[in-house]
């Protein structure tokens, strides 16, 4: 079927000539929009998004695209415990933009998809698996770029209401209001509000999320436009515990936090609820200054505050603040025999602002671009402690300092306490040259500097820290249009990533420095190449891309247990080489029908032994962690104007969790289904849909991804003869089956 004739042609006489009319079928699934960029790019559009469960976050939505490996802990995408890797590169190596503004954590690079815009407001999600655009305001995006584009306000006033209910007491309300064009101003706006709540699908607890999106748009003249987009998120979500392989074999999905509080226990579920509030502003502007010159700018502003708490115990005596011993007892409400169970806080407060601007000049065969990027942010991280009552309920879940436990002399009792100012600056120049009407050459250069000034507020040998780095990033690409439907492209690009903020600071335990902060770690630097082919037909479209990467100082994201709190960190894995193939096909055999297939083959190998405790693990030649050799996806859609439905099947191969390849998780598959009916015309002419989504319908009991990456799970003899003790990695438990019904009504 996939190789069948994609179209038919009808001859017609026209002034003595022959007019060839090609009749095909548009893409109803929205999974393979036409692309012309000289690099691998995949995307999903609103046609696909509107058929999915409205609770899904951006990571879950791109799961079918080639190279995207998504691990989620809950079916509704509410929990912050999730992961996205592409071509074996972790989420801290994937840049994320929304309306052109960066969404990655300024200190640790990861992004949090549960905070992004509601799916009803997203027009397209684009996934660039390799190099990012030269003007993208991100650092460390060696793994590619995920970009969300919000829907524009509609020219006519109206409203949209979505009501959803589902498994695990899922309840969601979404309301969007469009102003239409406001008088003679030319302004259009929309604002939306959603409220989502669901019980944890395993264990005790529940998730809550309130979200507001808004956009104000003005368009005028020949393509000029300016807009302001706002996205506000207020959520309180549960953390799911991540088992080791032994935990999983012993307890399976029963590996959860306690449903009831027992005095002295630190595993009560209420001690692991994370509250977060974030607000993002983005103001993209496009101005056509004359027929040859355009100006583009995106200014952004972000605020965020939240807590990732955990249960722990403190004693009234024997405490330290950094390296300083506290000689006076600490007052701990509820202490029994000098010991109290408390809430450990991992609080973060971030403020970020920036702007990326460029001028583009078309001069004959050349399209010249030059631009600047400036980005400044502050990250305040504190690990403090808060009392709980006799029922195990925290006095304050946010970890505010005015309610936290203090020393006898009034200082904040903290395990970590630092503030970092991060300044990113960049410039870029590029030239796109039309060598012939069909052959194009792109040349570009980007220079990026990363400056971190920090202060460690804990007593000890460290006070001020400073890290300053610059990277030169050249690139080139070739694009050849074989004919109106076929394209060839090739590119070579460079990327870098500075070590995360966490590596700068000393770590303390028992009054001793147990880990030294350093500014001597080297940047990860990568050189990548792609060679690709695209065919864009009326009923059949496909692309195939071969890729190759070479990394120096490969930084691999992991999570460490820092005094009970799970903290993002990185491991330097040395040199690595990766290569493989990405492919995707979209076949539309009839109107309203679409079949989409994607796949990836990935060969990722470590080139160096891993230094551990003064010795070297024999990791040279081992497979890279969290890098499945094969992935496949199959998606189908049917929509005849009355009935519609879709399927989404994804298979992910075996993934290693240690650099020694001595522990792994098996391959697994998931299947999502949707069925619905368009009700417009039965009641009135307004759009009205009823649909049922089945998420992970086959309900496989699997580990879906690696959360904590380890060097070796088993005791291993190093190159120099030292026995290097093993440590068990931890994993994400794949989410369970869920059903959600949605009634969507436009007014």
């Amino acid at each position: 079927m996939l190789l069948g004739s994609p179209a038919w042609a009808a001859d017609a006489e026209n002034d003595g000539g022959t007019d060839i009319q090609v009749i095909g079928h548009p893409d109803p699934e929205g999974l393979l929009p036409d692309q012309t960029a000289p690099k691998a790019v995949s995307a999903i559009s609103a046609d696909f998004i509107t058929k999915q469960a409205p609770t899904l976050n951006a990571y879950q939505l791109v799961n079918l695209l080639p190279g995207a490996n998504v691990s989620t802990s809950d079916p509704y995408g509410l929990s912050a415990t999730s992961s996205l890797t592409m071509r074996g590169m972790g989420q801290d190596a994937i840049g994320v933009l929304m309306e052109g503004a960066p969404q990655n954590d300024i200190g640790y690079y990861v992004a949090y998809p549960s905070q992004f815009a509601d799916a009803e407001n997203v027009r397209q999600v684009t996934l660039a698996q390799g190099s990012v655009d030269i003007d993208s305001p991100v650092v460390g995006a060696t793994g590619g770029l995920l970009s969300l584009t919000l829907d524009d306000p509609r020219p006519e006033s109206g409203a949209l209401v979505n009501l959803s209910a589902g498994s695990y007491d899922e309840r969601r309300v979404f309301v969007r209001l469009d102003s239409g064009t406001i008088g003679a101003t030319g302004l259009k706006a929309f604002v939306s509000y959603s409220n989502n709540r669901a019980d944890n699908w395993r264990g005790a607890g529940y998730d809550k999320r309130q979200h507001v999106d808004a956009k104000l748009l003005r368009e005028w003249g020949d393509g000029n436009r300016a807009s302001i987009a706002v996205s506000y998120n207020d959520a309180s979500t549960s953390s799911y515990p991540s088992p080791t392989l032994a935990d999983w074999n012993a307890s399976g999905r029963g590996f959860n936090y306690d449903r009831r509080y027992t005095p002295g226990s630190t595993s009560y579920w209420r001690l692991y609820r994370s509250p977060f509030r974030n607000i993002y502003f983005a103001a993209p502007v496009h101005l056509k200054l004359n027929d040859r010159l355009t100006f583009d700018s995106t200014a952004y502003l972000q605020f965020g505050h939240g807590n990732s708490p955990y249960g722990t115990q403190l004693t009234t005596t024997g405490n330290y603040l950094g390296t300083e011993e506290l000689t006076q007892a600490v007052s701990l409400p509820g202490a029994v025999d000098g010991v109290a169970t408390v809430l450990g806080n991992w609080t973060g407060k971030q403020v970020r602002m920036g702007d990326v601007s460029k001028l583009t000049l078309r001069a004959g065969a050349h399209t010249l671009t030059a631009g600047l990027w400036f980005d400044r942010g502050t990250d305040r991280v504190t690990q403090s402690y808060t009392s709980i009552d006799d029922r195990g309920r925290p006095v304050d879940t946010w970890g505010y300092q005015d309610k936290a436990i203090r020393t006898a002399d009034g200082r904040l009792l903290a395990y970590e306490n630092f503030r970092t100012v991060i300044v990113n600056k960049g410039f870029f120049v590029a030239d796109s040259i039309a060598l012939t009407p069909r052959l194009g050459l792109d040349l570009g250069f980007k220079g990026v500097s990363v400056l971190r000034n920090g202060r460690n507020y804990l007593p000890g040998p460290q006070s001020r820290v400073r890290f300053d780095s610059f990277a030169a990033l050249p690139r080139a690409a070739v694009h050849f249009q074989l004919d109106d439907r076929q394209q060839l492209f090739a590119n070579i690009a460079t990327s870098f990533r500075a070590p995360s903020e966490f590596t700068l600071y000393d770590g303390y335990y028992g009054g001793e420095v147990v880990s030294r902060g350093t500014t001597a770690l080297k940047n990860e630097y990568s050189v990548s190449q792609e060679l690709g082919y695209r065919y864009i037909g009326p009923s059949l479209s496909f692309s195939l891309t071969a890729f190759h990467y070479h990394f120096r100082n490969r930084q691999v994201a992991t999570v460490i247990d820092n005094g009970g709190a799970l903290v993002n960190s990185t491991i330097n894995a040395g040199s690595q080489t990766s290569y493989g193939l990405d492919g995707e096909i979209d076949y539309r055999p009839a109107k309203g029908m679409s079949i989409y297939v994607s796949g990836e083959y990935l060969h990722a190998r470590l080139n160096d032994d891993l230094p551990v405790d003064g010795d070297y693990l024999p990791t040279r030649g081992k497979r890279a962690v969290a890098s499945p050799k094969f992935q496949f996806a199959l998606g189908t859609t049917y929509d005849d104007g009355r009935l519609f439905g879709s399927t989404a099947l994804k298979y992910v191969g075996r993934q290693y969790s240690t650099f020694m390849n001595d522990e792994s998780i098996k391959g697994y598959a998931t299947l999502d289904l949707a069925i619905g009916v368009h009700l417009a015309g039965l009641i009135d002419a307004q759009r009205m849909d009823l649909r049922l989504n089945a998420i992970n319908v086959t309900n496989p009991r699997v580990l879906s991804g690696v959360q904590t990456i380890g060097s070796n799970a088993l005791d291993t003899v190093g190159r120099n003869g030292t026995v290097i003790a093993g440590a068990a990695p931890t994993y994400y438990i794949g989410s369970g089956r869920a059903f959600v019904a949605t009634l969507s009504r436009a007014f």
Side-chain angles (χ1 to χ4, degrees), residues 453-536:
N453 277 315
R455 182 177 178 184
N456 191 339
Y457 292 97
L458 293 181
Q462 185 185 61
S463 177
R464 302 281 184 177
V465 298
R466 179 183 172 89
F467 175 86
D468 195 357
S469 179
F470 176 82
L473 305 172
R475 60 174 57 201
V478 177
H479 182 269
F480 182 65
Q481 192 83 24
L482 294 172
D483 53 34
D484 291 343
R485 303 203 180 283
Q486 301 181 85
Q487 308 169 28
L488 290 174
F489 64 86
N491 64 65
I492 180 170
T494 54
S495 186
F496 93 110
R497 180 165 46 137
S500 74
E501 171 189 288
F502 184 83
T503 62
L504 298 176
Y505 295 96
D506 288 349
Y508 307 99
Y509 186 79
E512 301 291 333
V513 179
V514 294
S515 62
R516 289 283 183 183
T518 179
T519 60
L521 292 179
K522 296 180 180 179
N523 293 332
E524 175 182 296
Y525 195 86
S526 66
V527 180
S528 63
Q529 303 90 27
E530 290 182 327
L531 176 64
Y533 169 82
R534 287 193 192 103
Y535 175 83
I536 303 173

Side-chain angles (χ1 to χ4, degrees), residues 94-98 100-112 115-116 136-141 278-282 298-305 349-356 373-380 419-425 448-452 501:
I94 300 169
V96 179
L97 301 178
M98 188 163 66
Q103 305 295 298
N104 300 78
D105 186 288
I106 196 169
Y108 303 107
Y109 302 126
V110 297
Y112 308 101
Q115 300 173 3
F116 299 166
S136 296
V138 294
V139 295
N278 309 81
I279 187 166
Y280 300 90
F281 297 88
T298 299
Y300 52 88
L301 176 64
Q302 304 168 2
F303 301 92
H305 174 72
K349 186 175 183 179
Q350 294 191 353
V351 179
R352 186 179 190 181
M353 63 185 68
D355 179 85
V356 57
W373 174 43
F374 177 80
D375 178 279
R376 186 185 189 278
T378 59
D379 188 18
R380 186 73 165 88
R419 178 180 183 269
T420 313
V421 177
I422 303 104
V423 178
N424 301 313
K425 292 182 289 185
V448 180
S449 70
V450 177
L451 172 64
R452 294 191 177 114
E501 171 189 288

Side-chain angles (χ1 to χ4, degrees), residues 340-405:
T341 301
V342 298
L343 183 75
N345 303 301
W346 181 265
T347 59
K349 186 175 183 179
Q350 294 191 353
V351 179
R352 186 179 190 181
M353 63 185 68
D355 179 85
V356 57
S357 297
K358 67 178 181 181
L359 284 169
T360 302
L361 175 66
R362 292 172 176 81
H366 297 266
T367 301
L368 302 167
T369 301
L372 297 171
W373 174 43
F374 177 80
D375 178 279
R376 186 185 189 278
T378 59
D379 188 18
R380 186 73 165 88
V381 174
T382 308
Q383 191 173 169
S384 61
Y385 307 95
T386 301
S387 299
I388 63 175
D389 64 20
D390 57 2
R391 294 183 298 169
R393 296 173 180 264
V395 173
D396 169 42
T397 60
W398 285 89
Y400 289 124
Q401 293 190 14
D402 60 348
K403 297 181 180 180
I405 295 170

